[in-house]
Amino acid sequence: MKRLLTLVWKEFAHLKRDPITVRLIFFIPIFQTLLFGYAIDFDVKQLKTVVVDESRTYESRELVAKMTASDYFRIVRYADSMEEMGRELDAAHAAVGLVIDRDFGKDLRRGAPARALLVVNGSDNVVSSQAVAVASGVARQISAGILIRRANWEDAAPPVDLRVRPWYNPDLRTATFVIPGLLALILTFTLIPFTAVAIVREQERGTLEQLQLSPVSHVGLIVGKILPFLLIGLFQLTLVTALMRFVFGIRIAGNVAGFYAAGIVFIFCVLGLGMLVSTVAKTQMQAIQLSFFFMLPFVFLSGYVFPIDGMPRFFQLLTYLVPARFFIEVIRGIVLRGANLVELWRPVALLVLYAFVIVGAAALTFRKRAA
């Protein structure tokens, strides 16, 4: 234990002589949490809209008013023709164009289908999907009101009373969904590169042979290299959790001890990956480049950005190689749904298995390299 603690202290001494790395350990989690927490918002609002109102009636003005009342559309211009509207869309002065047919009001009053055209900027899938969904909802709302009035049901309830009540995120805030999963990415982006250069740095400085001749075993050497970064990972986990709670108002609905237990296991996973890279690379530059190999898979195959169920079967199987997938499942379950580790036993078990396998592989690779 004394030898192990000496090795741990040696790693902290290396960090102390590298003030830039110390600053990155502190500021990267803060910067990324604030950046993603405030900048990412899937709930697009105030879409710039150009209106071509050929009807110019009460009914057409009602359609425009209901769309702007939804807070998703903001009228920036009334155009006189579709050509003028097209120029506005081409120049990116607007993202949505609404064309109301000349006979819109007349058709609506006599019971015929009233036509209107919604043109959306399809180059942005999020904007176009949300604009179509909101506009369709507005059209259905107007249609339902007209049908009820025609049937003389002014005092009657609608035939179908479907009420929607979101659980776990009742306000449908993007930050509530994004930030718990962001914990996995922040720990990955900071800990793998920092750990990846640990053994390579010793080799380049000529001190690796001294470590191999020390009484510490290969496993002890790996653990001694990992423990300082484990403490750094716990510090970053606590820092992001504090920002999540006091800046974005997201409470941990579940057990805090289970939250940290899952966090420690995941930190071991990413540190094991970093150490594995460190034992394979021959220079610090190679170690950093190899560490970036894990970045994009951790983002796109973890379920953080895209739902795993919507991926092709091959890529769904590939996600089992990404520990961030299991950690995000666990952390969202604990933070948002208040689930415990027993209810989340499957991703927890896979996360623990991954940690044992990857740390063992790093120790084995280092032993072969030392031999």
Side-chain angles (χ1 to χ4, degrees):
M1 179 60 67
K2 183 178 179 181
R3 296 166 182 166
L4 184 62
L5 291 177
T6 301
L7 188 59
V8 171
W9 179 255
K10 175 179 175 292
E11 287 299 313
F12 278 119
H14 280 308
L15 287 175
K16 185 178 179 181
R17 291 193 292 268
D18 189 358
I20 294 178
T21 300
V22 174
R23 293 190 187 101
L24 290 176
I25 289 171
F26 184 78
F27 286 111
I28 284 180
I30 296 177
F31 175 75
Q32 290 185 335
T33 302
L34 296 177
L35 176 65
F36 286 97
Y38 284 115
I40 296 180
D41 192 349
F42 299 128
D43 190 15
V44 181
K45 294 186 177 181
Q46 296 292 309
L47 295 173
K48 295 180 180 179
T49 306
V50 176
V51 176
V52 180
D53 187 359
E54 297 178 347
S55 176
R56 300 181 186 275
T57 59
Y58 168 80
E59 289 78 10
S60 65
R61 291 193 295 270
E62 181 187 22
L63 174 62
V64 174
K66 285 188 177 294
M67 290 183 63
T68 54
S70 67
D71 201 33
Y72 285 90
F73 301 95
R74 177 166 60 90
I75 308 301
V76 294
R77 184 169 181 178
Y78 283 88
D80 295 325
S81 65
M82 290 191 63
E83 291 76 12
E84 185 179 350
M85 179 195 73
R87 289 194 296 270
E88 293 294 313
L89 293 175
D90 290 342
H93 294 160
V96 179
L98 175 64
V99 183
I100 304 175
D101 186 73
R102 183 181 304 275
D103 297 326
F104 182 86
K106 184 192 301 182
D107 291 338
L108 207 59
R109 287 190 294 271
R110 65 187 178 88
R115 293 181 296 272
L117 173 66
L118 187 76
V119 180
V120 297
N121 179 8
S123 62
D124 190 328
N125 188 53
V126 174
V127 171
S128 60
S129 299
Q130 198 158 94
V132 170
V134 175
S136 300
V138 170
R140 286 193 297 269
Q141 181 184 7
I142 295 175
S143 300
I146 293 173
L147 290 175
I148 289 175
R149 289 196 297 270
R150 286 177 183 170
N152 295 320
W153 290 350
E154 290 86 350
D155 299 326
V160 178
D161 184 12
L162 177 63
R163 302 185 181 184
V164 179
R165 180 175 298 174
W167 285 10
Y168 314 125
N169 186 11
D171 298 329
L172 298 179
R173 291 176 60 215
T174 301
T176 304
F177 172 77
V178 166
I179 293 180
L182 187 62
L183 284 166
L185 300 188
I186 289 177
L187 292 173
T188 299
F189 290 175
T190 55
L191 294 181
I192 288 184
F194 290 158
T195 318
V197 300
I199 291 179
V200 179
R201 181 179 57 208
E202 300 285 356
Q203 183 181 19
E204 290 185 347
R205 292 177 178 176
T207 56
L208 182 60
E209 291 77 9
Q210 298 176 9
L211 288 175
Q212 293 171 352
L213 295 174
S214 66
V216 182
S217 65
H218 293 138
V219 175
L221 182 58
I222 292 291
V223 173
K225 290 287 186 181
I226 281 180
L227 276 180
F229 293 101
L230 173 65
L231 297 176
I232 292 171
L234 284 174
F235 167 75
Q236 291 182 330
L237 180 65
T238 303
L239 181 61
V240 176
T241 303
L243 291 173
M244 181 177 69
R245 170 66 184 90
F246 296 108
V247 177
F248 296 97
I250 304 172
R251 296 176 178 269
I252 300 177
N255 184 268
V256 176
F259 172 84
Y260 272 94
I264 290 173
V265 175
F266 179 71
I267 290 171
F268 267 109
C269 289
V270 294
L271 292 181
L273 285 172
M275 295 301 296
L276 186 60
V277 169
S278 185
T279 58
V280 173
K282 296 181 179 180
T283 65
Q284 292 190 53
M285 182 59 69
Q286 287 183 3
I288 294 174
Q289 290 176 339
L290 285 173
S291 67
F292 284 124
F293 172 78
F294 295 99
M295 300 306 180
L296 287 181
F298 269 62
V299 173
F300 295 111
L301 296 179
S302 63
Y304 177 72
V305 178
F306 306 111
I308 294 176
D309 292 338
M311 298 179 184
R313 182 60 180 170
F314 171 75
F315 289 99
Q316 289 186 23
L317 296 176
L318 204 60
T319 61
Y320 284 95
L321 300 177
V322 180
R325 167 193 172 156
F326 313 124
F327 182 61
I328 289 176
E329 288 183 31
V330 173
I331 218 69
R332 282 177 175 164
I334 294 175
V335 173
L336 301 181
R337 303 194 303 273
N340 55 49
L341 295 182
V342 176
E343 295 169 326
L344 300 168
W345 69 269
R346 185 173 177 273
V348 169
L350 291 172
L351 196 61
V352 172
L353 176 63
Y354 198 105
F356 275 107
V357 170
I358 201 65
V359 173
L364 181 62
T365 306
F366 177 73
R367 181 180 301 175
K368 290 182 178 180
R369 176 173 177 170

